[in-house]
Amino acid sequence: MIIIGIMLFTMLFMWGALAISYNTANTENGTYLLGITLSTQYRKEKEVTEILAEYRKGFRRLTLFGFLGCFVVFPLNRYMSFLLLWVMVWYAVLIYGYHENIMKHARRLYQLKQEKGWLTGKPHIVRIDTVLSSIGNKGLISPWWWLPVWIMGIVGLVIALLQRTTAEAFLWVVVSLLVAMAGLTLADRGIRRMRKKVYCDNTQANQTINNTVQREWSFCILFHGYGIAIDLLLKVLKKYFPAAGSIGQDLGEINGLQGIKVALLSLSILFSFAIMLRAYYKCQKVKRQILDSVAVNGGELYGDDDEYWLNGTAQSGTNRLVEKRIGIGFELANTSANRGIEKGVLIFTAIFVAGIAVFLMPFDFAQVTLIMGEEKCRVEAAGMGHSFAWDEVQEITLLTEKPKMSKKSGYDSNRFYLGDFHVSGHGSCKVYVALETDSVIQVTTTDEKIFFNGENDEETAQMWEMLMLEIEKKAK
Amino acid sequence: MIIELDSASDIPIYVQLRNQIVLGIGRGELQIGESLPTVRQMAEAADINVMTVNKVYNILKTEGYIEIDRRHGAKVRPKPENEQELRTKCAAELELLITESTLKGMDRESFLTLCGEIFDRQNIKLAEI
């Protein structure tokens, strides 16, 4: 049930983030409406409201599809591989649908703007504020704040490398967190190198807006970098130094309340989202206040670079990141190099997800089988297995109820537990158990315990009988 | 100062940038002694190649509108030109401009009035220290 809960929450979060992002096109997002620069005086025009109404219709349909698609997790919960494929297809359809909907209506609005002569500035113009360009990155958060983040990351990596003989797979967890940190560091660098946008003819106003945007988002990314670094260090301490890592101890294990762990995870995701929303709304507020003030005092506002956004030739200079016109945060500037990067990321993600789905398929259709040889008996499921020698067997017991188990390494879904598990009352054991079957066979050897069962109680009972016969034969 | 470059114009970008900087000095939007953005900063802001900005700064330096120091970058520092050379250059450029204006229907008085207005708008300033 917990896995279903996590999957449902994740999908709802993905859907919600996308819907909120594209919903910003519905409302007056600073100087933009549907991603197009449109002066306030024209936003109530009949043709504009008609285009907006059509956009909203498409938006609502997609949002409903996205919401209902989340609940496919229930019928597919037995098959993680298919569920992953569904999530990939569902999200791809959503992103494509939302994108096409906005671009179609943005183009219509831009065409209307041109026909009516509602341009707020001259087209094809690139503006440079000489004072703003000279200032560079003054007033931004110092990049040296990343140093503690990377120190924590490297310390974690060194500990994991020194201890890798005991748990090699865990090293990949550390590496993936470091890759995430590197991604955030690059994103922060991209924000620092962003082209300064000239909003109006007032240098002070331009400087304040640009500084606010860069500083707020830089802080947001730095905050997440610290979060990942602290998480990495705690995970490493908990893995390799259980006593010292007690501050990172899993509350679910201490109290037996796995729900607390899920709740904490959910809260941390929501908190992360709250930090991003804070940055977004602060930037919007500052822009509105300053530009309204400039307009009231007779200053000139610039804005008509819509054609660059629509045609995919963003005025981004040599920088990779531009502020989003729709949604929260930043996106890759639509240059040919970045389009290549985006395509590469999409293809890699599709291959990666499909690869994981294929990898998981044997687990979804697994069957626990018993292979009884002359000297050894082997328990197998989904390509994983464990053998024990007959002459090491001390006891074989058929339990009517499975003891509580938590994963140490291996596979756990809502159908199977396969691998090394901590079993309540028995310590670390080998487990090959179908969760839908209540009964389980416990084999105790001289140095370990193995738990396994069949598809149902009858099959499990048959396995036990076969084992007992074999043991009796060997005893004779 | 806000520099505007028209990416759809037939006039090359480097010529536009050079002209905008000179006009900015004349209008007082760029003050004498004021620093210009570095070559890299200007190139990033204008979304043009660094070599193009380099070319513009070298042209402005050769023509005597700016000074370039390796440590402090480019500063607005117009140098007076030899009067005879200046007259010759102005005469050549004005002859073309006057001919074009006359052929398009502008009379002498209108042209001189316009010249006066533009001269009055000149506001060459020293940068505040």
Side-chain angles (χ1 to χ4, degrees):
Chain A
M1 269 316 278
I2 286 181
I3 291 175
I4 297 173
I6 290 172
M7 283 301 295
L8 182 61
F9 177 81
T10 305
M11 287 179 77
L12 284 170
F13 182 81
M14 287 164 72
W15 161 79
L18 206 53
I20 288 172
S21 195
Y22 278 95
N23 191 46
T24 60
N26 268 329
T27 55
E28 296 170 32
N29 187 3
T31 52
Y32 303 125
L33 184 68
L34 294 182
I36 298 297
T37 318
L38 193 66
S39 179
T40 317
Q41 63 190 106
Y42 305 123
R43 291 181 189 186
K44 300 288 179 218
E45 294 285 327
K46 184 166 169 284
E47 295 100 327
V48 173
T49 54
E50 275 172 10
I51 293 172
L52 196 56
E54 276 192 40
Y55 168 76
R56 283 176 178 157
K57 208 161 120 184
F59 172 80
R60 278 194 293 269
R61 279 193 198 132
L62 284 161
T63 305
L64 183 63
F65 162 75
F67 179 68
L68 294 174
C70 295
F71 294 92
V72 173
V73 72
F74 287 107
L76 283 183
N77 80 85
R78 288 167 55 86
Y79 305 101
M80 192 56 68
S81 54
F82 290 139
L83 186 54
L84 273 178
L85 287 172
W86 165 248
V87 170
M88 182 171 75
V89 166
W90 162 81
Y91 209 57
V93 166
L94 268 184
I95 289 174
Y96 178 79
Y98 276 131
H99 179 77
E100 284 304 299
N101 189 36
I102 187 66
M103 293 315 287
K104 174 179 156 191
H105 292 95
R107 285 198 178 96
R108 277 185 61 195
L109 185 58
Y110 184 66
Q111 198 178 354
L112 177 71
K113 198 170 111 169
Q114 283 185 304
E115 284 164 10
K116 297 280 187 182
W118 292 340
L119 299 169
T120 55
K122 291 171 272 183
H124 315 299
I125 298 293
V126 175
R127 289 185 186 84
I128 307 124
D129 186 324
T130 53
V131 174
L132 187 64
S133 301
S134 305
I135 284 166
N137 286 337
K138 281 181 198 162
L140 298 187
I141 297 171
S142 168
W144 287 106
W145 278 103
W146 282 94
L147 188 60
V149 173
W150 279 99
I151 289 173
M152 285 190 272
I154 289 167
V155 164
L157 177 65
V158 166
I159 294 172
L161 281 170
L162 290 173
Q163 301 283 344
R164 70 184 181 278
T165 49
T166 54
E168 201 167 283
F170 183 72
L171 186 59
W172 290 109
V173 173
V174 172
V175 167
S176 67
L177 286 172
L178 284 170
V179 166
M181 268 165 57
L184 288 178
T185 311
L186 281 174
D188 184 60
R189 186 166 175 262
I191 285 172
R192 283 169 195 287
R193 292 189 59 198
M194 266 176 63
R195 180 170 174 266
K196 308 276 186 205
K197 188 165 174 181
V198 179
Y199 292 90
C200 59
D201 59 355
N202 183 315
T203 293
Q204 189 60 41
N206 290 329
Q207 188 183 344
T208 305
I209 295 173
N210 277 283
N211 251 22
T212 303
V213 167
Q214 285 180 290
R215 201 176 50 242
E216 288 298 322
W217 287 109
S218 191
F219 170 77
C220 181
I221 288 174
L222 183 67
F223 174 85
H224 285 87
Y226 270 92
I228 291 178
I230 291 167
D231 181 48
L232 187 157
L233 208 53
L234 287 177
K235 275 187 161 64
V236 168
L237 288 174
K238 181 192 159 194
K239 182 76 180 175
Y240 297 114
F241 308 103
S246 61
I247 48 167
Q249 191 74 25
D250 186 351
L251 281 171
E253 285 171 12
I254 290 176
N255 299 322
L257 296 169
Q258 292 285 341
I260 292 181
K261 190 176 167 186
V262 172
L264 281 175
L265 181 65
S266 310
L267 277 171
S268 66
I269 292 169
L270 288 170
F271 188 60
S272 160
F273 206 38
I275 296 281
M276 286 198 295
L277 282 175
R278 178 198 163 273
Y280 171 73
Y281 283 112
K282 175 128 189 231
C283 292
Q284 293 305 315
K285 184 179 164 192
V286 165
K287 267 189 217 170
R288 260 199 311 274
Q289 279 175 349
I290 289 178
L291 294 179
D292 284 348
S293 166
V294 167
V296 156
N297 290 323
E300 192 181 351
L301 300 182
Y302 306 131
D304 264 304
D305 51 356
D306 296 335
E307 59 181 317
Y308 295 98
W309 178 70
L310 281 170
N311 299 334
T313 52
Q315 284 182 306
S316 66
T318 54
N319 307 307
R320 292 220 178 270
L321 292 182
V322 291
E323 216 185 347
K324 279 186 171 182
R325 284 178 174 232
I326 295 163
I328 299 165
F330 292 87
E331 58 187 348
L332 284 177
N334 204 347
T335 59
S336 56
N338 287 344
R339 280 197 289 275
I341 292 174
E342 279 177 0
K343 272 191 196 130
V345 167
L346 283 170
I347 291 169
F348 175 79
T349 306
I351 293 172
F352 183 74
V353 172
I356 291 187
V358 166
F359 173 75
L360 288 176
M361 265 179 202
F363 294 93
D364 286 343
F365 299 100
Q367 258 189 317
V368 180
T369 50
L370 212 53
I371 303 163
M372 294 194 284
E374 269 303 307
E375 312 238 335
K376 288 190 174 184
C377 181
R378 185 167 174 81
V379 181
E380 260 183 16
M384 295 169 68
H386 186 72
S387 302
F388 56 88
W390 291 115
D391 55 9
E392 287 177 0
V393 172
Q394 292 177 339
E395 192 185 1
I396 301 178
T397 319
L398 178 63
L399 304 172
T400 51
E401 263 186 44
K402 291 188 295 295
K404 272 204 176 124
M405 301 174 186
S406 61
K407 188 178 82 174
K408 288 178 69 183
S409 69
Y411 175 83
D412 67 339
S413 68
N414 53 351
R415 291 189 65 208
F416 290 101
Y417 282 175
L418 306 170
D420 294 323
F421 280 70
H422 179 85
V423 181
S424 177
H426 299 274
S428 184
C429 305
K430 298 287 182 191
V431 168
Y432 298 88
V433 157
L435 297 176
E436 286 162 359
T437 306
D438 290 326
S439 54
V440 68
I441 297 168
Q442 174 192 329
V443 174
T444 308
T445 68
T446 48
D447 52 8
E448 62 184 357
K449 288 180 185 174
I450 307 121
F451 290 81
F452 57 91
N453 60 12
E455 270 188 21
N456 48 52
D457 290 327
E458 289 77 29
E459 195 179 305
T460 307
Q462 278 174 8
M463 282 181 175
W464 180 77
E465 282 168 14
M466 280 164 52
L467 281 168
M468 295 308 288
L469 277 170
E470 195 65 30
I471 288 288
E472 278 171 28
K473 232 195 306 182
K474 300 286 182 210
K476 286 171 187 167
Chain B
M1 178 199 170
I2 307 291
I3 293 175
E4 291 187 353
L5 304 175
D6 186 346
S7 55
S9 170
D10 293 330
I11 303 170
I13 288 289
Y14 81 91
V15 173
Q16 290 186 54
L17 185 56
R18 177 258 174 208
N19 291 347
Q20 287 270 301
I21 291 173
V22 171
L23 287 169
I25 298 170
R27 290 181 197 135
E29 290 165 8
L30 281 173
Q31 295 167 0
I32 296 172
E34 185 178 331
S35 294
L36 289 173
T38 63
V39 168
R40 190 175 291 278
Q41 285 168 344
M42 184 67 91
E44 279 182 5
D47 191 15
I48 56 179
N49 197 289
V50 165
M51 302 299 291
T52 306
V53 179
N54 227 4
K55 182 175 174 179
V56 171
Y57 279 22
N58 283 330
I59 289 171
L60 287 166
K61 181 185 165 189
T62 307
E63 291 177 344
Y65 295 112
I66 65 173
E67 278 177 355
I68 299 178
D69 182 280
R70 286 185 75 173
R71 274 194 310 165
H72 303 297
K75 279 197 172 153
V76 176
R77 196 84 67 190
K79 281 186 213 158
E81 204 169 316
N82 174 279
E83 197 177 328
Q84 188 55 43
E85 281 174 17
L86 185 59
R87 278 186 79 87
T88 312
K89 186 179 162 192
C90 282
E93 288 176 15
L94 274 171
E95 185 171 356
L96 176 62
L97 187 57
I98 290 166
T99 308
E100 284 172 348
S101 308
T102 313
L103 289 172
K104 298 284 181 187
M106 191 180 264
D107 62 30
R108 180 194 163 104
E109 200 171 317
S110 302
F111 187 88
L112 290 173
T113 307
L114 184 58
C115 287
E117 284 166 11
I118 293 171
F119 258 103
D120 290 341
R121 281 207 298 265
Q122 297 297 294
N123 189 19
I124 299 165
K125 284 184 196 167
L126 273 172
E128 287 164 19
I129 298 167

